[in-house]
Amino acid sequence: MPPLHRVLTLAAVSVLVLTGCTPPADVPPGEVTSAADAVRELPGVDHVAVTRTPSGAEPVQGNFGQLTEPTPSTVSVEVTLAGTLEPRAAGEAAGEAHRLLVAAAGSVDDGENITMASSFVGGPGLGVSAGPDTTSEVVADAVEDGFGLLAAGATTVDLGLGGGGDGSWDDDPLAATAHVSAATRDDFLEIARAAEDLDRGVELQAPGVLYRAATRVPDVDAVRLLVAAAARPGVVDATYLSQEQRLTLRSDAEAGSQNLTDLHGWLETQDFATADHPVAYTVMDAAYAETTGWVSGVEPAGYAPHTLEPFGDAEPWPEDPTAPDCTARDLAVTFGAVDSAAGTRGASVRASNVSGVPCAVENVPELVFLNDAGEAQPDVATEPYEPGVVPGRVVVPDGGTVLAPLLWRAMSTANDPDTTTTIEVTTVPRADPVPIDVTTDGTPATGLDVLDGAEVRIGPWTQGD
């Protein structure tokens, strides 16, 4: 195996909350500088650079007249490891560097309260982010795994070790899905085997091919099926969604062509799916018309009614039969960012409980898609998110957020059609619809490609992440 010619960079980001004095604008705290000196002495460390980016140090007048916290400044520590290090040695060096830097941030006693968030990047291969509560052992494992995946043929590996936007950090290695890119689909199998050995959840991507497993360790057989399907004549894009057990293929063949007939026949004769684990497939032709079926020809006898599992890794919220139903006033509605893969769009409508007490929801929200003129998009069909799914009663704690997932097929915006810029959301039965702008916060500024004739799959309210 050729040596790894990789450079690992650690960018340790520290947030300074000023409590009584203003530090020099561009001078890092002495404790962090001393820790950087100690990191320089670690085996395998080639270089350490420490910088500080000043920011606002004075309280700022906020909404309603109150003073906000001073704008934090940032200290960055960049550590370069020797590219020839073995994965275990790279992990040990990164873990010890993280430990030293976090300890230094916690020992600052000159009027500054420092919180450190570390970001490990390796150009061009590895990127790992970690927070102050992420242990050095988890950092070491992540960096070691990243180098191992690079050794297995990955071109880039990105891992996030926590930080869900609420100040919490998750030290479960499987919560850190490795987003892995490869030069070609032919590298997928070796990378998937490596991830399985490392017990690491991955998302694999190469030009025209995507394997998405959320936090799950990859199913090597499913990866093998995806790679083989992507190599079939005429297939342009191939996606396997592990959580949905669905294979989606886009072909450049015309409807009714022999290529499409052969592709369906190949899918239905594969020795892969079983009655206990059926896998649906969708094939899109050159005109994006869809045909569906079941891999291996194994169609489930029927879909038993079921609710959606909570999104994310949080423990399910407790049930409370005495909790009242949420009203429209209890729920603040927002729109989740759009994600795209192989011609499919995914997003969510989110509702946060602002009532001050727990309340319950048990329905699918009603959605109306409006263009920039405020007119409803014609002929938009809404369908269940997946067969058999039914709403479950979710008791939303005060401040908790539920989401309703959305899926739709990408539609062409080449001729500047009237895109969807607003969605009217009826959160609970008999509530007044609430308009939400869908041209900001992770969505295209021109709106969503939910156009005339779109089909949107909508899920029921489910515990969010």
Side-chain angles (χ1 to χ4, degrees):
M1 182 180 298
L4 291 176
H5 296 290
R6 306 288 180 189
V7 177
L8 177 66
T9 303
L10 163 64
V13 181
S14 305
V15 181
L16 311 182
V17 181
L18 308 182
T19 58
C21 63
T22 303
D26 58 357
V27 178
E31 290 83 349
V32 175
T33 302
S34 297
D37 290 337
V39 171
R40 288 186 179 92
E41 302 301 318
L42 295 176
V45 172
D46 282 350
H47 181 70
V48 179
V50 184
T51 59
R52 176 174 176 175
T53 303
S55 191
E58 298 297 328
V60 178
Q61 194 76 17
N63 295 331
F64 310 111
Q66 76 266 31
L67 293 176
T68 65
E69 290 289 334
T71 306
S73 59
T74 300
V75 173
S76 297
V77 182
E78 184 176 273
V79 179
T80 303
L81 298 181
T84 54
L85 288 174
E86 292 296 319
R88 181 175 292 276
E92 289 174 351
E96 180 62 7
H98 179 76
R99 186 191 68 79
L100 289 170
L101 293 168
V102 171
S107 67
V108 175
D109 59 2
D110 60 355
E112 299 180 64
N113 179 14
I114 298 178
T115 301
M116 179 167 292
S118 302
S119 177
F120 298 71
V121 295
L126 181 66
V128 176
S129 62
D133 297 327
T134 306
T135 66
S136 59
E137 290 80 9
V138 168
V139 170
D141 286 345
V143 172
E144 180 178 346
D145 287 359
F147 268 78
L149 292 169
L150 291 170
T155 55
T156 63
V157 179
D158 294 310
L159 299 97
L161 301 180
D166 59 357
S168 64
W169 296 84
D170 194 334
D171 283 350
D172 178 0
L174 277 182
T177 299
H179 299 271
V180 178
S181 66
T184 72
R185 61 175 179 262
D186 296 330
D187 298 317
F188 270 27
L189 275 177
E190 193 63 32
I191 298 170
R193 292 189 186 102
E196 184 181 46
D197 290 342
L198 295 169
D199 202 32
R200 175 71 64 177
V202 297
E203 175 180 289
L204 300 173
Q205 188 164 16
V209 189
L210 174 67
Y211 176 87
R212 178 166 291 169
T215 59
R216 301 177 183 179
V217 173
D219 179 341
V220 174
D221 288 335
V223 173
R224 184 180 292 108
L225 173 72
L226 172 65
V227 170
R232 298 296 300 175
V235 172
V236 178
D237 291 312
T239 299
Y240 188 92
L241 302 180
S242 177
Q243 195 162 9
E244 295 184 27
Q245 294 290 286
R246 175 174 292 276
L247 178 66
T248 301
L249 306 175
R250 183 167 68 86
S251 173
D252 61 7
E254 299 294 333
S257 67
Q258 189 61 45
N259 260 3
L260 286 184
T261 300
D262 291 346
L263 181 57
H264 281 276
W266 181 86
L267 288 166
E268 293 179 1
T269 56
Q270 293 305 294
D271 184 14
F272 177 75
T274 66
D276 291 333
H277 299 284
V279 176
Y281 74 76
T282 299
V283 174
M284 290 181 283
D285 63 22
Y288 288 90
E290 295 182 3
T291 50
T292 60
W294 298 94
V295 174
S296 307
V298 180
E299 181 176 354
Y303 290 99
H306 63 284
T307 59
L308 293 178
E309 295 294 326
F311 288 84
D313 300 306
E315 290 294 320
W317 293 326
E319 298 181 6
D320 181 359
T322 66
D325 291 339
C326 296
T327 67
R329 290 184 178 181
D330 298 333
L331 301 172
V333 186
T334 57
F335 189 74
V338 175
D339 190 16
S340 302
T344 300
R345 305 281 195 250
S348 62
V349 174
R350 308 171 72 89
S352 298
N353 180 4
V354 295
S355 69
V357 296
C359 65
V361 291
E362 189 176 3
N363 66 287
V364 178
E366 295 181 18
L367 307 183
V368 178
F369 300 87
L370 308 178
N371 62 21
D372 198 38
E375 300 167 339
Q377 297 284 9
D379 298 324
V380 172
T382 57
E383 303 288 342
Y385 184 68
E386 62 185 40
V389 69
V390 296
R393 187 173 188 269
V394 182
V395 177
V396 192
D398 180 38
T401 299
V402 287
L403 64 83
L406 311 179
L407 284 176
W408 69 95
R409 297 294 179 198
M411 304 182 75
S412 175
T413 57
N415 297 320
D416 297 323
D418 285 336
T419 58
T420 292
T421 58
T422 301
I423 299 179
E424 285 188 346
V425 182
T426 302
T427 53
V428 293
R430 296 177 295 280
D432 291 332
V434 178
I436 53 175
D437 184 357
V438 293
T439 62
T440 60
D441 298 331
T443 62
T446 55
L448 307 180
D449 56 349
V450 178
L451 312 175
D452 181 6
E455 180 181 294
V456 183
R457 290 194 278 158
I458 306 173
W461 291 124
T462 305
Q463 178 178 332
D465 47 14

